[in-house]
Structures are given as structure tokens and as C-alpha cells.
């Protein structure tokens, strides 16, 4: 299932099935992941949400399916990272022998333009143009890398075990409740995590109980909130918040709440960001400010970037939220958060 047309057709079929029945029946958990992935990616595409809603409301309408298929084909052509992730869900490879170290991939930054490949905390820089055969080969390689690092089960996720321990014990990313406020504080980036030239405005700190509720109004399912902020030599600023929740389900609800608030702000425009954790999204509130969010297991991370002269950088915003999401995953796997930008 290598071509964008084939991937788009398969994804549209799952969206249509989900419209006819429960998502759980639409190809099982993988079907649900695909539908949510498509919904998240099309959220920032012109007429994308409308095309998706049309198929969900009228799954057997051939015109609606054709419009959605065309939208997805266009996105898959323009965004190899999204194509690779979708391919890894729809057509996971089955190696005959244990995987070997496949090394790394690097594409010269002078040719980057769009589509950032992200595999775990490894970033493969953007590409601008290339032959169809080269693109197909790169998509296949990234799909294999994604499955090798995550495992298909890890992409799907797990359920809360009720005692604050690991919620998923398979080969994929672990989902763990972060009960220790100091560990949550360690997830918030420090100065060593930031690019060269940035200075600290607020060292990482953490709030619990009533203090956390002063930051986030709906905090019934929140254990603690860590924050930090920075400024660079060009007077751009970055703010981080890490929200540790009582369960993965609670994190899903908190994520829905904070992203709705961002979406409902006057003038908010959806931005395209890489697929991070279980959900990710971003919004531009003005030419000088952008926000990005990611739900990673039992945590929700928020990054706000502001420019002094309406010049905040979307690419920098993507790098910062990717770094924060990676640190949240490291903590849930029992490792000291160490991911940095670059």
C-alpha cells in the first residue's frame, strides 16, 4: 500500500465504516487510530474537516468519499511524514527475523521545505522535492523505523491499571501516571534543553493541589502542573506547561478542554504539526503568537511561542513541542527526561 492514492482510499474506507458502526468495529483499534489520525491531520487543511464530516454523515455517498479521498491524496503527497505514519498503521511490515540496527537517515537541510519525519525522539529533517520512487522508498523506510521503535501495539495504547503503574507493558511506549511532582518538574524543559542563545525567564517549577487549580480551572483530574519559560536573542519567548493527569483517560479529557479553549479564541487558526503522542494540534492566535499541544500517555504538554515583531517561527514551535512530548514520554518510561531541541 505504497501510493498516496492507495493509502487515501484505505483511510476513507475506515472513515466510512466508522460512520456506519462504532469505531471499534471499523478495523478494531487500528481503525480507530487511523480515523483519529485523519481527523487530526485534516483539522488544519482547507475544507478538510468538512470533507471528513460529509463521509461520516453519509458513508455511502460516492461524491463525499471522492472529495475526502482527494483531500487525503493531496495531503499525503505534500506531507511524507504523515504518509509514513499512516502507512505504518495500515500496512505494518512483518520481518522474518529480528530487526537490526538500521542506522540513521539525514537529508541536507538546504533542501527542506515541508513534512518533518518523527520517529520516537529521532527527527529526520524536512524534504522539498524528489522523484516518486525516492519518496516511496523513504516512506517505506520511515514506516519500518516507526514500527521498530514503537511497535504497532504501542501506537494503539493501553488501559489504566488503577494503581499508578505502567498502563502498557508491550514493546511500545509506556503509559504511566506521574505521581511524583519532581518528576513532572523534570519534564518541563530547562535551559540545557533549549537551542543555543536562549536565556531562562523562569526556571522549571511545579504546582500541586490548589496552586495547580489556579493555573488550570478544571483540575479535578490533575495531579500537578510544571512550567518553564525562555527568551532568545531576537526577543522571541517560549512558555512550557506540563500537565500530569490521574490517568490516560483523564489526560484525554484535559487535552480536549485546553485545545477547545485555544480553538475558541477569537482569530485562532489551526496549524499543521507532526503527529505526536496520542494527539497533537497547534493554533496561530496572531502573526506573533502560536500554541501547540500534545497528549502523551497520562500527560498533556503545551507550548506557546511569541515574537516581539509578529515574527514567531512555526518551525521553532514544532521543534519545541516535539521536544516537550519526547521528555514526557521519557518520564513515563522511567528515564530521566533528557530530550533537547536539535
Amino acid at each position: 500500500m505504497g501510493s498516496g492514492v492507495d493509502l487515501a482510499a484505505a483511510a476513507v474506507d475506515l472513515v466510512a465504516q466508522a460512520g456506519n458502526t462504532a469505531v471499534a468495529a471499523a478495523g478494531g483499534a487500528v481503525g480507530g487510530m487511523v480515523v483519529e489520525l485523519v481527523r487530526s491531520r485534516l483539522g488544519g487543511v482547507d475544507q478538510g474537516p468538512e470533507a471528513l464530516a460529509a463521509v461520516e454523515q453519509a458513508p455511502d455517498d460516492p461524491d463525499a468519499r471522492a472529495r475526502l479521498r482527494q483531500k487525503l491524496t493531496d495531503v499525503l503527497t505534500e506531507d511524507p511524514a504523515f504518509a509514513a505514519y499512516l502507512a505504518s498503521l495500515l500496512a505494518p511490515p512483518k520481518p522474518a527475523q529480528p530487526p537490526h540496527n538500521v542506522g540513521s537517515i539525514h537529508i541536507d537541510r538546504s533542501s527542506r521545505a515541508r513534512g518533518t519525519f518523527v520517529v520516537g525522539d529521532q527527527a529526520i529533517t524536512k524534504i522539498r522535492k524528489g522523484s516518486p520512487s525516492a519518496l516511496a522508498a523513504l516512506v517505506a523506510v520511515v514506516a519500518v523505523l516507526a514500527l521498530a521503535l514503537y511497535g504497532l501495539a504501542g501506537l494503539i495504547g493501553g488501559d489504566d491499571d488503577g494503581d499508578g503503574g505502567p498502563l502498557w507493558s508491550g514493546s511500545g511506549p509506556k503509559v504511566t501516571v506521574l505521581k511524583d511532582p519532581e518528576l513532572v518538574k523534570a519534564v518541563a524543559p530547562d535551559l540545557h534543553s533549549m537551542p543555543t542563545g536562549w536565556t531562562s525567564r523562569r526556571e522549571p517549577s511545579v504546582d500541586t493541589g490548589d496552586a495547580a487549580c489556579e493555573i488550570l480551572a478544571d483540575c479535578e483530574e490533575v495531579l500537578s502542573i510544571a512550567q518553564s519559560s525562555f527568551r532568545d536573542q531576537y526577543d522571541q519567548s517560549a512558555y512550557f506547561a506540563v500537565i500530569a493527569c490521574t490517568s490516560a483517560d483523564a489526560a484525554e479529557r484535559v487535552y480536549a478542554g485546553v485545545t477547545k479553549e485555544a480553538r475558541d479564541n477569537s482569530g485562532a487558526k489551526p496549524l499543521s504539526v507532526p503527529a505526536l503522542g496520542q494527539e497533537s494540534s497547534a493554533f496561530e492566535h496572531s502573526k506573533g503568537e502560536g500554541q501547540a499541544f500534545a497528549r502523551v500517555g497520562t500527560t498533556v504538554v503545551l507550548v506557546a511561542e511569541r515574537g516581539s515583531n509578529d515574527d514567531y517561527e512555526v518551525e521553532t514551535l514544532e521543534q519545541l513541542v516535539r521536544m516537550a512530548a519526547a521528555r514526557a514520554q521519557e518520564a513515563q518510561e522511567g528515564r530521566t527526561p533528557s530530550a533537547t531541541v536539535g
Side-chain angles (χ1 to χ4, degrees), residues 195-213:
T196 301
W198 287 70
T199 58
S200 177
R201 298 182 64 190
R202 173 177 182 167
E203 293 293 333
S205 62
V206 64
D207 293 289
T208 61
D210 293 341
C213 290

Side-chain angles (χ1 to χ4, degrees), residues 89-251:
L89 291 178
L90 291 172
K94 298 179 179 179
Q97 55 186 358
H100 297 285
N101 183 0
V102 295
S104 61
I105 299 174
H106 175 73
I107 301 172
D108 191 346
R109 284 184 174 269
S110 65
S111 65
R112 72 175 184 237
R114 61 179 65 180
T116 302
F117 290 87
V118 180
V119 184
D121 58 2
Q122 303 299 313
I124 303 175
T125 55
K126 301 182 178 182
I127 67 172
R128 183 185 299 274
K129 294 180 181 178
S131 67
S133 59
L135 175 60
L138 190 54
V139 167
V141 169
V142 175
V144 171
L145 285 171
L147 286 168
L149 290 177
Y150 284 130
L152 184 57
L155 291 171
I156 296 170
D159 297 322
D160 193 338
D161 67 356
D163 62 1
L167 311 185
W168 176 253
S169 58
S171 59
K174 291 182 179 179
V175 179
T176 309
V177 176
L178 302 183
K179 291 186 174 183
D180 182 359
E182 288 301 311
L183 180 56
V184 180
K185 177 182 175 181
V187 174
D190 57 14
L191 191 56
H192 297 294
S193 312
M194 300 296 290
T196 301
W198 287 70
T199 58
S200 177
R201 298 182 64 190
R202 173 177 182 167
E203 293 293 333
S205 62
V206 64
D207 293 289
T208 61
D210 293 341
C213 290
E214 292 179 3
I215 301 167
L216 187 68
D218 186 5
C219 62
E220 182 178 350
E221 298 181 296
V222 172
L223 294 172
S224 60
I225 301 177
Q227 302 175 82
S228 59
S229 63
F230 308 88
R231 184 179 294 279
D232 74 357
Q233 61 268 46
Y234 305 109
D235 210 28
Q236 288 188 324
S237 63
Y239 164 80
F240 297 87
V242 180
I243 307 171
C245 303
T246 56
S247 68
D249 289 342

